[in-house]
């Protein structure tokens, strides 16, 4: 059946694409359904800590390689949004905006979604000066003034990138200490066009058709000021948008999918990996490793269910008795 798969993976980030590499190499018919390619990793302008890439490279480049590798082994990709997943007897029915698919197993690897700041004007100016992706939108701000909100690595990354493009960059953070890496802070301090505005929160984004200014409040002395800016990059972290699976698998208090060390969720046949799960350390390498585990666990689950032999999962692992598949 055309729309029936062994594994449907939701999300094409580091976790999802690694899972696809592993399931496809096990000859499982694999489909990835995703709204984008590369997830959060593809937004990182500089990645220095992915093993094997000795030169600084972009997350986008690394994700392109993951994608090529998954396709090389036969994984199929579809750009679409999953609306619901329904368990039906021994199979899961996956409804997207455009189609219905069926799969023996599901791997949830849909990662994180940028968090809103929830300030006046944010909604109105989305796409008109308010951005959540410096990598995607930075070139619109050549020789302009931009403000970056946040104090984590994403905000620091965005500041560094925009300091090379914009005329002036304000880095606005609600505390006077950054959460991001010191190495990035040191790099930013060398950029003459960057001004730190610390202990400050943004109160309002103003403009006409496009953003023109922001109002910021100093949290110590409560003073308020308006600064002219053409772009506002909101980099205040991410959240897991897991509502579409909340009746299917157990979530924690942060809406993250609860997994065990084999990437199994509370529902047999559904696995999860990467930033959408409760695993610690949201890093590309961790997501890739978890994706590999989820892929192998899905394989093992199918083989056991169909009483087929598993092979080569782990050194010394006791193999299931049965005939080989394919
Ligand atoms: P993050 O590390 O959670 O930082 C979010 C920042 O936004 C924090 O500084 C936080 O302030 C601030 N914030 C949150 N809500 C806010 C609000 N309502 N108003 C004002 N400020 C607010 O998130 P991230 O920077 O997006 O990074 C996410 C993960 O990806 C991290 O693990 C990060 O290391 C990783 N990452 C790594 C790289 C890299 O290695 N180059 C690049 C990008 C991301 P407080 O500090 O006061 O809480």
């Amino acid at each position: 059946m055309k729309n029936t798969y062994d594994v449907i993976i939701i999300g094409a980030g580091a976790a999802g694409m690694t899972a696809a590499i592993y399931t496809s190499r096990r000859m499982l018919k694999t489909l990835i359904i995703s709204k984008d390619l590369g997830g959060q990793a593809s937004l990182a302008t500089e990645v220095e800590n992915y093993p094997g890439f000795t030169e600084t490279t972009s997350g986008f480049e690394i994700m392109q390689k993951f994608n090529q590798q998954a396709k090389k082994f036969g994984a199929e990709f579809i750009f679409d949004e999953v609306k619901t997943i329904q368990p039906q007897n021994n199979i899961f029915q996956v409804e997207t905006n455009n189609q219905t698919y069926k799969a023996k197993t599901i791997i949830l690897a849909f990662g994180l979604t940028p968090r809103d700041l929830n300030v006046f004007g944010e909604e109105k100016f989305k796409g008109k000066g308010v951005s959540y992706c410096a990598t995607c939108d930075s070139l619109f701000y050549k020789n302009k003034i931009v403000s970056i909100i946040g104090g984590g690595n994403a905000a620091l990354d965005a500041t560094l990138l925009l300091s090379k493009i914009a005329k002036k960059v304000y880095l606005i953070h609600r505390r006077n200490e950054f959460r991001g890496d010191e190495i990035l802070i040191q790099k930013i301090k060398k950029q003459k066009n960057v001004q730190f505005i610390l202990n400050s929160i943004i109160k309002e984004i103003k403009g006409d058709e496009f953003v023109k200014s922001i109002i910021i409040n100093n949290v110590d002395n409560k003073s308020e000021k308006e600064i002219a800016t053409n772009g506002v990059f909101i980099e205040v972290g991410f959240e897991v948008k897991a509502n579409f699976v909340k009746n299917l698998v157990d979530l924690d208090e942060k809406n993250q999918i609860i997994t065990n060390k084999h990437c199994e969720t509370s529902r047999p046949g559904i696995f999860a990996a990467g930033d959408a799960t409760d695993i610690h350390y949201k890093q590309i390498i961790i997501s890739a490793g978890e994706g590999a585990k989820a892929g192998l666990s899905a394989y093992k689950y199918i083989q056991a269910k169909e009483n087929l032999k598993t092979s080569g999962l782990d050194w010394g692992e006791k193999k299931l008795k049965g005939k080989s598949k394919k």
Side-chain angles (χ1 to χ4, degrees):
M1 277 178 292
K2 190 170 153 274
N3 279 356
T4 302
Y5 291 84
D6 290 313
V7 190
I8 288 182
I9 298 166
I10 301 167
M17 290 200 282
T18 307
I21 292 167
Y22 274 74
T23 55
S24 305
R25 287 194 73 248
R26 296 267 161 180
M27 306 305 288
L28 296 179
K29 186 169 156 61
T30 300
L31 172 69
I32 299 189
I33 305 173
S34 185
K35 290 196 282 186
D36 64 12
L37 181 64
Q40 297 307 319
S42 66
L43 306 179
T45 46
E46 290 186 3
V47 177
E48 293 182 322
N49 55 4
Y50 197 81
F53 288 75
T54 50
E55 300 299 321
T56 300
T57 182
S58 69
F60 180 79
E61 195 184 319
I62 297 177
M63 288 301 99
Q64 292 299 316
K65 289 192 190 298
F66 275 43
N67 185 243
Q68 286 160 11
Q69 205 171 347
K71 280 187 176 154
K72 182 174 113 181
F73 296 117
E76 296 171 39
F77 282 79
I78 284 169
F79 286 108
D80 207 341
E81 182 173 5
V82 173
K83 290 292 177 198
T84 60
I85 302 168
Q86 307 277 353
Q88 284 185 348
N89 304 322
N90 269 337
I91 214 117
F92 296 99
Q93 185 161 305
V94 178
E95 298 262 359
T96 70
N97 281 334
N98 302 303
Q99 272 282 2
T100 301
Y101 302 91
K102 288 181 176 169
K104 294 175 189 167
T105 60
I106 302 288
I107 297 177
L108 303 172
F110 50 80
L112 297 161
T113 308
R115 186 180 289 132
D116 285 341
L117 198 54
N118 289 319
V119 293
F120 197 71
E122 179 180 12
E123 199 56 43
K124 179 176 173 191
F125 293 110
K126 274 184 184 172
K128 295 173 180 170
V130 170
S131 169
Y132 301 81
C133 177
T135 316
C136 324
D137 296 335
S138 55
L139 287 176
F140 296 125
Y141 296 91
K142 199 164 169 29
N143 295 325
K144 295 198 168 167
I145 306 169
V146 294
S147 300
I148 290 140
I149 324 296
N153 276 328
L156 300 179
D157 237 12
T159 303
L160 203 53
L161 173 69
L162 278 148
S163 69
K164 293 164 190 159
I165 296 165
K167 178 171 71 182
K168 171 92 189 171
V169 181
Y170 295 104
L171 174 57
I172 303 166
H173 179 36
R174 64 184 176 184
R175 294 187 296 130
N176 64 357
E177 276 178 357
F178 289 101
R179 196 180 279 270
D181 296 344
E182 186 58 34
I183 189 167
L184 288 173
I185 299 166
Q186 291 311 323
K187 282 186 188 175
I188 291 168
K189 283 186 173 161
K190 290 186 184 140
Q191 303 300 313
K192 292 198 168 56
N193 59 343
V194 177
Q195 183 179 333
F196 291 76
I197 302 182
L198 302 179
N199 292 323
S200 297
I201 52 167
I202 181 163
K203 192 177 146 203
E204 186 178 347
I205 301 168
K206 292 171 72 176
D208 40 36
E209 201 186 336
F210 293 96
V211 169
K212 287 247 161 83
S213 67
I214 51 173
I215 309 275
I216 50 171
N217 277 356
N218 183 294
V219 292
D220 290 334
N221 59 24
K222 312 289 177 228
S223 63
E224 185 172 293
K225 69 176 169 183
E226 181 164 2
I227 53 174
T229 193
N230 305 108
V232 182
F233 286 85
I234 297 172
E235 300 283 359
V236 295
F238 296 84
E239 58 191 343
V240 181
K241 291 217 166 140
N243 279 350
F244 75 106
V245 292
K246 73 173 184 215
N247 296 325
L248 208 57
V249 295
D250 288 347
L251 306 178
D252 70 5
E253 69 289 348
K254 292 184 191 158
N255 238 16
Q256 302 178 122
I257 303 159
I258 298 172
T259 53
N260 66 13
K261 64 182 179 183
H262 303 298
C263 295
E264 291 161 336
T265 68
S266 56
R267 185 174 290 268
I270 301 191
F271 304 85
D275 288 0
T277 72
D278 60 345
I279 196 89
H280 285 194
Y281 312 122
K282 310 300 189 198
Q283 297 289 314
I284 304 173
I285 183 73
I286 307 282
S287 290
E290 292 293 306
K293 276 162 61 180
L296 291 174
S297 290
Y299 165 74
K300 193 173 172 181
Y301 173 87
I302 292 173
Q303 300 296 98
K305 244 185 152 194
E306 298 181 0
N307 199 24
L308 300 168
K309 200 165 72 178
T310 56
S311 61
L313 283 177
D314 275 313
W315 294 112
E317 177 166 298
K318 206 171 154 213
K319 292 179 181 140
L320 285 171
K321 288 201 175 100
K323 52 189 176 21
S324 289
K325 189 184 185 205
K326 291 170 190 166

